[in-house]
């Protein structure tokens, strides 16, 4: 809970815009709430500060939000994310990301996520990009990343 409140209080500007403008949620309420759904983690940077929080919900929805500290340790954080991703056994991980959140888009690409389509989302009808990651054991099913294979998306992260 402490990590969730810290991140919610210290979001990167692009992450704040994604939560507040994109999803229409107040970070200090929605981030701690999201941290209790599914499997959550946080990343503590080498300087001892909490730099990110994220998780995977039961339907395979993956999420992450960061503080500016993560920008000081991009390689360390990318490696942490890669290890986390490789530790997962879900056949499909998915979500949407604010198109304006360039750092997250770069990280998702580095981690091997596939970008599916752009869509208007949230109270402000901002452009988001749907993405997914298919585990190596699921490659035999060529339709695993199609929208019809996912659970219905809820309005939150």
């Amino acid at each position: 809970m402490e990590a969730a409140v810290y991140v919610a209080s210290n979001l990167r500007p692009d992450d704040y815009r994604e939560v507040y403008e994109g999803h229409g949620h107040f970070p200090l309420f929605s981030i701690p709430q999201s941290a209790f759904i599914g499997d959550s983690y946080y990343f503590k940077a080498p300087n001892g500060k909490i730099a990110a929080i994220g998780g995977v919900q039961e339907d395979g929805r993956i999420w992450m939000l960061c503080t500016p500290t993560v920008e000081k340790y991009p390689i360390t954080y990318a490696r942490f994310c890669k290890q986390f991703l490789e530790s997962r056994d879900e056949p499909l991980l998915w979500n949407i990301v604010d198109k304006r959140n360039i750092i997250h888009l770069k990280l998702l690409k580095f981690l091997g996520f596939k970008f599916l389509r752009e869509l208007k989302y949230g109270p402000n009808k901002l452009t988001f990009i749907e993405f997914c990651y298919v585990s190596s054991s699921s490659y035999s099913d060529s339709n695993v990343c199609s929208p019809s294979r996912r659970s219905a998306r809820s309005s939150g992260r």
Side-chain angles (χ1 to χ4, degrees):
M1 179 57 91
E2 182 180 332
V5 171
Y6 180 82
V7 171
S9 301
N10 296 283
L11 285 172
R12 291 177 51 251
D14 286 350
D15 289 31
Y16 180 85
R17 290 185 335 172
E18 183 168 334
V19 173
Y20 186 70
E21 296 173 12
H23 291 278
H25 296 163
F26 293 102
L28 279 170
F29 175 74
S30 64
I31 295 172
Q33 181 182 23
S34 294
F36 281 107
I37 300 171
D39 203 10
S40 297
Y41 69 91
Y42 68 91
F43 170 71
K44 190 177 276 191
N47 68 359
K49 291 185 177 182
I50 295 171
I53 191 164
V56 177
Q57 296 178 359
E58 291 179 9
D59 61 358
R61 186 176 324 136
I62 190 166
W63 64 277
M64 163 196 67
L65 294 164
C66 304
T67 71
T69 301
V70 83
E71 295 174 20
K72 297 176 183 174
Y73 303 95
I75 295 171
T76 305
Y77 185 60
R79 287 179 181 156
F80 171 82
C81 290
K82 190 76 164 166
Q83 290 174 344
F84 177 80
L85 191 59
E86 290 171 355
S87 75
R88 306 305 304 179
D89 60 3
E90 294 89 354
L92 174 67
L93 299 172
W94 64 274
N95 207 335
I96 58 176
V97 61
D98 188 330
K99 185 178 181 177
R100 304 171 298 174
N101 202 332
I102 302 302
I103 289 178
H104 284 195
L105 290 169
K106 287 180 181 180
L107 178 62
L108 290 166
K109 184 176 181 179
F110 168 79
L111 293 172
F113 283 86
K114 302 298 179 204
F115 300 112
L116 302 176
R117 64 186 172 126
E118 290 186 3
L119 59 135
K120 297 294 182 187
Y121 177 79
N124 296 310
K125 302 295 182 211
L126 299 177
T127 303
F128 275 70
I129 300 172
E130 184 176 39
F131 63 87
C132 73
Y133 178 86
V134 181
S135 72
S136 59
S137 62
S138 298
Y139 281 126
S140 62
D141 184 353
S142 61
N143 294 322
V144 77
C145 245
S146 68
S148 62
R149 294 285 306 246
R150 285 190 317 277
S151 301
R153 181 186 297 104
S154 74
S155 61
R157 290 202 123 209

